[in-house]
Amino acid sequence: EDQVTQSPEALRLQEGESSSLNCSYTVSGLRGLFWYRQDPGKGPEFLFTLYSAGEEKEKERLKATLTKKESFLHITAPKPEDSATYLCAVRGDYKLSFGAGTTVTVRA
Amino acid sequence: KAGVTQTPRYLIKTRGQQVTLSCSPISGHRSVSWYQQTPGQGLQFLFEYFSETQRNKGNFPGRFSGRQFSNSRSEMNVSTLELGDSALYLCASSPGLRAGELFFGEGSRLTVL
C-alpha cells in the first residue's frame, strides 16, 4: 500500500526564519508527487506537481524538490501569511494518497 | 470561474441516521473525488467518479456510497451513521481521471452524536 510520511508534525518559525518540510514516500509506480496548502476551515489548495527525481518548482517563498524517496518543501524568509498546514500527496496506480501534514506557524 | 461547491457546510446527525452530501464541481470538470479528513487519519480517499461511473474506491465499508449525475454533480451518502463517521468530508474536482492537481471544496463537516 502507498505510504506518505511527513515531518515534522508541527513547525514554529519566526518571520524570516527559513526552514524545510520533509515528505518521504513509498509507492508502486509513482505518477506524481503533489504539495497542497490547507488553511483552517478550508479545503486543500494545490501548490506544486513534481514528476521526476531532480525536479524543482518554485512559487514565491516556496520551493519544492524531489528525490527518488522523498520531497522537500523549502520555505524561504517566511511571513505570517505562510502559516498553514502543508500536505504532501503521491499518485499511485489508482488513488492520491496524502500524508498527515506539517502545520507551520510563522510568528511576526 | 466558480470553485467547487459543497452543501451543506455543517450538519449534526445521530447514530443510526443517514446523510447525503452534495458537490458541484468546477464547470467543465468531469472527475469528482471524495475524501474523509479526521485529525487522527488525515485525508483518506473514499471514491472517484468520472462520467457518472465510479472508477476507484478506497477502503471504506459499504455504508459509504456515492453517485455522479450527467452534469458531473456528485452526491455521497453514509447510512447507519456511527460516531467514528464524524469528520470533514471533502469533494475535489479535476478535468480528467486520476489527476494529481485537484480543486477542493471547503468541505461538509459532519458531527455524529
Side-chain angles (χ1 to χ4, degrees):
Chain A
E1 175 140 341
D2 302 341
Q3 288 199 336
V4 182
T5 304
Q6 292 188 247
S7 61
E9 290 184 13
L11 192 58
R12 293 176 64 86
L13 301 172
Q14 199 67 35
E15 184 172 4
E17 178 189 1
S18 302
S19 189
S20 296
L21 286 55
N22 177 264
C23 170
S24 61
Y25 61 91
T26 55
V27 61
S28 56
L30 179 68
R31 288 166 171 72
L33 183 140
F34 308 88
W35 282 96
Y36 284 80
R37 167 191 170 127
Q38 186 173 23
D39 294 304
K42 305 280 189 180
E45 176 186 353
F46 171 79
L47 291 173
F48 301 111
T49 303
L50 300 165
Y51 285 111
S52 55
E55 191 174 357
E56 298 182 351
K57 293 279 180 71
E58 283 189 72
K59 180 179 180 179
E60 295 181 358
R61 295 174 294 281
L62 301 177
K63 179 179 177 180
T65 62
L66 180 65
T67 70
K68 286 189 177 180
K69 293 184 178 181
E70 58 190 351
S71 176
F72 293 92
L73 184 66
H74 307 279
I75 309 178
T76 302
K79 297 182 178 181
E81 54 262 42
D82 295 321
S83 297
T85 296
Y86 292 87
L87 299 165
C88 171
V90 295
R91 168 66 70 176
D93 288 332
Y94 78 100
K95 69 175 183 177
L96 196 62
S97 298
F98 283 84
T102 295
T103 299
V104 175
T105 305
V106 182
R107 297 165 291 176
Chain B
K1 195 173 188 182
V4 176
T5 303
Q6 291 189 245
T7 56
R9 290 292 315 279
Y10 302 92
L11 64 166
I12 300 173
K13 294 286 187 178
T14 56
R15 282 182 299 173
Q17 288 187 310
Q18 73 166 17
V19 66
T20 299
L21 309 177
S22 179
C23 172
S24 293
I26 290 173
S27 177
H29 285 192
R30 297 172 62 193
S31 174
V32 173
S33 300
W34 288 90
Y35 288 82
Q36 180 195 67
Q37 187 173 34
T38 59
Q41 297 296 317
L43 272 156
Q44 300 289 313
F45 172 73
L46 281 157
F47 25 66
E48 180 176 16
Y49 285 86
F50 183 83
S51 293
E52 301 178 65
T53 303
Q54 186 182 95
R55 303 294 177 143
N56 297 298
K57 191 177 190 304
N59 295 324
F60 279 82
R63 300 185 296 106
F64 292 81
S65 63
R67 59 178 177 169
Q68 186 181 33
F69 303 96
S70 58
N71 61 358
S72 294
R73 192 177 68 85
S74 178
E75 289 181 347
M76 68 162 282
N77 184 79
V78 187
S79 62
T80 319
L81 284 167
E82 301 177 358
L83 295 179
D85 297 332
S86 295
L88 180 66
Y89 290 88
L90 290 160
C91 167
S93 75
S94 60
L97 189 60
R98 298 193 182 96
E101 182 178 347
L102 302 180
F103 297 82
F104 283 86
E106 296 195 327
S108 293
R109 183 164 295 282
L110 170 65
T111 301
V112 182
L113 302 177

